[in-house]
Amino acid sequence: MTLFDKIKTAEVLAWKGIYIDNPKCYFCQDNLESNRHLFFECHYSYKTLIRLIPTLQNFLLRPNVSQALDFIEGLPGENKNKSYSLLLFNATVYHLWRERNNQRFNSSAKCFTTLASEIAKEVRIKSLKWKWK
């Protein structure tokens, strides 16, 4: 959904004529909440991402979701490492959206380091169950 701009951000809802009382990003409160900003132009989401996948900070500009996925797919090495990085990336996108919803609807916020630690732990547990040939 993120790749095709189908996440219901404030920008998407406004484009559909739905009024949002606070259209700013819940992470930084600076910019309009858009798919592009939320994943990964916002400082909060970018810091979360590079804490988990540091090689993504090697881009000249912050990558969008499509660029990051292409980069991970092109990494040299075993499929296991790519699969782990893809799982980590997808989990990051999922958890960022979930954290955005927690901040918007439950008035609860986590710092990016806590969120990154939770994502890393969850992915580590999931990957322990993988069976490799």
Side-chain angles (χ1 to χ4, degrees):
M1 289 179 68
T2 306
L3 273 174
F4 301 108
D5 216 10
K6 299 293 184 186
I7 300 275
K8 303 296 186 242
T9 60
E11 180 184 58
V12 170
L13 294 174
W15 185 75
K16 293 182 176 195
I18 300 170
Y19 172 77
I20 301 294
D21 59 339
N22 181 7
K24 291 192 175 188
C25 172
Y26 275 83
F27 296 143
C28 67
Q29 292 297 316
D30 285 335
N31 297 328
L32 172 67
E33 181 190 75
S34 66
N35 192 43
R36 183 164 181 82
H37 174 75
L38 194 61
F39 310 104
F40 296 98
E41 287 178 357
C42 178
H43 296 302
Y44 178 91
S45 57
Y46 183 68
K47 286 179 183 178
T48 304
L49 177 67
I50 63 169
R51 189 166 188 89
L52 294 164
I53 309 174
T55 56
L56 288 175
Q57 66 187 330
N58 294 339
F59 279 79
L60 182 58
L61 301 172
R62 291 181 183 179
N64 62 34
V65 173
S66 179
Q67 291 167 331
L69 286 171
D70 287 344
F71 176 79
I72 292 169
E73 283 288 335
L75 288 173
E78 302 175 26
N79 283 339
K80 184 177 182 179
N81 292 335
K82 287 181 191 181
S83 295
Y84 187 82
S85 293
L86 285 171
L87 177 61
L88 197 53
F89 180 80
N90 286 310
T92 302
V93 170
Y94 170 78
H95 280 275
L96 284 168
W97 182 247
R98 206 168 99 187
E99 178 61 21
R100 176 264 187 203
N101 287 336
N102 281 334
Q103 289 185 23
R104 178 168 175 78
F105 301 113
N106 299 329
S107 299
S108 114
K110 295 176 186 168
C111 70
F112 76 91
T113 54
T114 301
L115 183 62
S117 295
E118 289 175 2
I119 295 167
K121 181 180 177 183
E122 188 175 294
V123 168
R124 201 173 315 114
I125 290 168
K126 176 74 174 171
S127 67
L128 289 173
K129 298 176 186 176
W130 289 355
K131 297 193 185 340
W132 296 95
K133 295 180 181 180

